[in-house]
Amino acid sequence: EKAHVNVVIIGHVDSGKSTTTGHLVYKCGGVDQRKLEKFEKAAAQMGKSSFKFAWLLDKLRAERERGITIDISLLKFNTQKYSMTIIDAPGHRDFIKNMITGTSQADVALLVVSAAKGEYEAGVSRSGQTREHALLAYTLGVKQIMVCVNKMDLTEPPYSQKRYDEVVRGVKVFLKKIGYDTNAVPFVPISGWTGENMITPTQKMPWYQGWKVRLREGAETGKTLLEVLDSIKPPVRTINKPLRLPLQDVYKIGVGTVPVGKIETGVLKPGMTLMFSPAKLTAEVKSIEMHHQGLDTALPGHNVGFNIKNVSVKNLRRGDVAGNAQHDPPSDVRSFEAQVIILNHPGKIKSGYCPVLDCHTAHVTCRFAELREKLDRRTGKKLADDPQLLQSGDAATVKLVPIKPMCVESFFTYPPLRFAARDLKQTVAVGVIKSVEKEQGSKASQKTQPSK
Ligand SMILES: Nc1nc2c(ncn2[C@@H]2O[C@H](COP(=O)(O)OP(=O)(O)OP(=O)(O)O)[C@@H](O)[C@H]2O)c(=O)[nH]1
């Protein structure tokens, strides 16, 4: 079986995320041929002069949202080495909440940047989303990123090396500032629309020698996007940890209740008794499904749906976390200590500030109960105790208190669980949780430093 990778597609509005993704899914995809033919026919009947990949993706999204199937596998494609599930991340500002939820589940990010005249500039401008998405991805722990420089057919002149170099230079500068090792970040010039360098190499950009082309001795062109995706490092899965499965959604299918989500740590098996937090419910797993197939064992990274007994769909919701009732079950927290970086806040933040926290799949308002330490953003060293105020650019250790029950874990014990704080329709802070004070009063704390 191929290793499983979750990839989040990020980038400015209209950079071509849907087109590029639709193209990959169409050519390498997890969609069966009959369905594709149906869509192609429908497109032709609607008088579309050509088959649009973005349109295909919309249709697939709609099918998924109708909730007939219990998993979210429709947006899936295969490279030679990996089975990739695409996590949707709409580029519109108001949808950034979804993007955070998506990113917090991703193993790798694919940043789509348009090279078309004016579009690259808009994307990296102050109001553009290119930087914000990349910064969020990094802070939420997605340390592998690849960049496709899209719409190369629209540069002036078309397929311009000069324009490509300009875009790569600009993107490298801000990726480096964010913290990415830009020597390890592949860049691929593509057209998601006409297909150059997506699946097959092109002669239209002979100047493109690609990323680590030495791996392909004698190659005349660089790696295609598909080859680059194939060359990512497989994600490290925390299989030996207790189970943590944040719920993405809960469906009622027939008489059953079917929660859906991605396993972050541990293993899920039929017959297991689960504990849900903060719902404080237990239930037995009847069956597990992924990509329409039954599973005996589901592992970290798997996006699964599972059938449970004797729990009504009303009692569970997105943001709940499932764990093994017999092995360090999840529990809600009274408070937690977090290391945060303030990104965008027009004024000063004082204790008592209440943004909404997006952590794994939960969205819960949390109070900045105490500002404990101000830190050096780069080194993490303490600059001052008990700061009165925090503002954009500051890093700090704070105590947070959720205003309603919420299950979170320390980043050190459960690295995939990261968070972002939102207010005023923007991301005001991002961070990792250092320790939690569980509802029963037991304090779980780790003194180690966050791994980079
Ligand atoms: N010529 C050309 N057009 C493209 C290319 N990629 C995307 N487009 C067009 O650019 C527009 C935006 O593409 P989308 O794929 O919808 O962009 P998106 O990033 O998913 O947009 P949002 O979901 O709104 O953030 C559409 O009209 C596409 O047909 C490309 O490589 N070449």
Side-chain angles (χ1 to χ4, degrees):
E1 197 195 290
K2 289 185 181 182
H4 206 108
V5 175
N6 294 290
V7 38
V8 64
I9 319 280
I10 59 178
H12 189 65
V13 183
D14 281 352
S15 55
K17 298 182 291 299
S18 301
T19 303
T20 305
T21 314
H23 201 132
L24 282 170
V25 172
Y26 180 64
K27 292 281 171 62
C28 313
V31 196
D32 67 73
Q33 199 54 39
R34 277 221 333 268
K35 193 166 276 166
L36 281 179
E37 277 162 17
K38 200 177 85 193
F39 289 147
E40 279 178 51
K41 224 157 127 193
Q45 275 166 5
M46 284 168 65
K48 306 227 173 215
S49 53
S50 53
F51 182 60
K52 289 227 176 207
F53 298 115
W55 184 81
L56 165 77
L57 205 69
D58 277 348
K59 289 280 159 212
L60 292 174
R61 280 186 187 129
E63 290 238 326
R64 183 184 61 188
E65 271 148 27
R66 245 176 276 143
I68 311 160
T69 51
I70 63 169
D71 64 81
I72 52 169
S73 64
L74 282 165
L75 304 183
K76 203 182 118 203
F77 66 91
N78 292 307
T79 64
Q80 281 215 304
K81 259 166 77 185
Y82 299 113
S83 153
M84 301 209 158
T85 300
I86 292 165
I87 297 168
D88 263 335
H92 195 276
R93 260 202 121 65
D94 290 346
F95 288 106
I96 203 147
K97 193 169 91 180
N98 292 340
M99 133 106 206
I100 292 166
T101 310
T103 305
S104 69
Q105 297 179 39
D107 303 306
V108 298
L110 176 62
L111 174 64
V112 181
V113 182
S114 169
K117 194 175 172 200
E119 292 190 9
Y120 161 67
E121 287 75 10
V124 295
S125 69
R126 267 194 143 263
S127 57
Q129 283 111 53
T130 318
R131 289 164 202 260
E132 187 181 15
H133 282 189
L135 178 60
L136 277 172
Y138 185 80
T139 318
L140 293 172
V142 184
K143 299 289 151 78
Q144 284 197 72
I145 191 167
M146 46 216 87
V147 182
C148 46
V149 179
N150 190 32
K151 306 199 187 181
M152 286 304 296
D153 58 308
L154 288 184
T155 62
E156 290 178 0
Y159 309 105
S160 157
Q161 177 178 15
K162 202 163 147 253
R163 178 61 165 173
Y164 171 76
D165 288 343
E166 181 186 4
V167 171
V168 171
R169 259 197 317 272
V171 173
K172 272 193 175 169
V173 169
F174 72 76
L175 287 184
K176 197 165 185 170
K177 271 196 199 141
I178 288 169
Y180 282 107
D181 169 11
T182 46
N183 292 326
V185 177
F187 286 81
V188 193
I190 61 160
S191 167
W193 174 236
T194 46
E196 281 84 23
N197 283 340
M198 290 281 299
I199 316 293
T200 44
T202 175
Q203 294 309 316
K204 289 193 178 142
M205 293 177 265
W207 44 263
Y208 168 58
Q209 287 303 307
W211 183 64
K212 292 192 179 162
V213 120
R214 63 180 177 275
L215 293 180
R216 278 191 5 167
E217 259 178 80
E220 281 171 22
T221 56
K223 287 195 172 189
T224 62
L225 181 57
L226 197 62
E227 287 171 314
V228 163
L229 285 165
D230 223 359
S231 60
I232 65 170
K233 285 191 244 102
V236 181
R237 302 295 186 195
T238 33
I239 191 169
N240 297 323
K241 298 214 176 249
L243 175 69
R244 288 296 181 270
L245 198 179
L247 305 189
Q248 179 76 44
D249 249 312
V250 184
Y251 297 106
K252 185 170 158 49
I253 294 176
V255 290
T257 294
V258 180
V260 170
K262 190 188 103 178
I263 300 180
E264 293 291 356
T265 56
V267 172
L268 179 74
K269 293 181 173 194
M272 207 173 197
T273 304
L274 296 182
M275 162 69 89
F276 293 89
S277 167
K280 292 196 175 64
L281 289 170
T282 54
E284 191 190 321
V285 181
K286 281 201 285 196
S287 62
I288 308 170
E289 226 184 75
M290 182 170 72
H291 304 316
H292 309 289
Q293 276 165 6
L295 274 192
D296 290 334
T297 308
L299 302 174
H302 286 165
N303 261 305
V304 293
F306 53 100
N307 231 299
I308 51 174
K309 284 180 183 166
N310 305 330
V311 173
S312 155
V313 68
K314 289 197 294 284
N315 294 328
L316 291 175
R317 56 188 55 83
R318 179 184 184 142
D320 288 356
V321 177
N324 186 338
Q326 266 93 46
H327 187 196
D328 188 20
S331 86
D332 39 324
V333 298
R334 189 171 297 165
S335 71
F336 53 95
E337 189 176 82
Q339 206 163 308
V340 297
I341 296 174
I342 312 298
L343 299 178
N344 307 293
H345 192 278
K348 318 265 187 217
I349 289 175
K350 295 185 191 153
S351 65
Y353 179 56
C354 279
V356 174
L357 236 69
D358 295 313
C359 185
H360 53 85
T361 56
H363 306 292
V364 176
T365 302
C366 293
R367 187 159 47 85
F368 276 51
E370 291 169 25
L371 311 183
R372 288 185 168 161
E373 294 171 337
K374 194 164 156 180
L375 306 170
D376 184 300
R377 189 173 162 163
R378 289 187 181 277
T379 60
K381 279 206 188 107
K382 183 162 78 173
L383 296 176
D385 279 314
D386 305 318
Q388 293 298 303
L389 302 164
L390 295 174
Q391 57 189 3
S392 295
D394 285 349
T397 307
V398 298
K399 177 183 170 180
L400 287 157
V401 176
I403 65 155
K404 65 174 199 198
M406 179 185 199
C407 170
V408 294
E409 301 281 0
S410 103
F411 184 76
F412 310 110
T413 15
Y414 294 94
L417 306 184
R418 320 161 262 220
F419 73 82
R422 312 252 322 138
D423 183 25
L424 312 166
K425 292 210 168 150
Q426 47 179 351
T427 307
V428 290
V430 286
V432 292
I433 295 170
K434 291 178 70 179
S435 63
V436 299
E437 186 194 359
K438 299 212 170 180
E439 205 34 84
Q440 304 94 320
S442 65
K443 189 165 163 85
S445 169
Q446 297 271 332
K447 295 278 174 252
T448 35
Q449 282 296 307
S451 53
K452 268 246 156 181

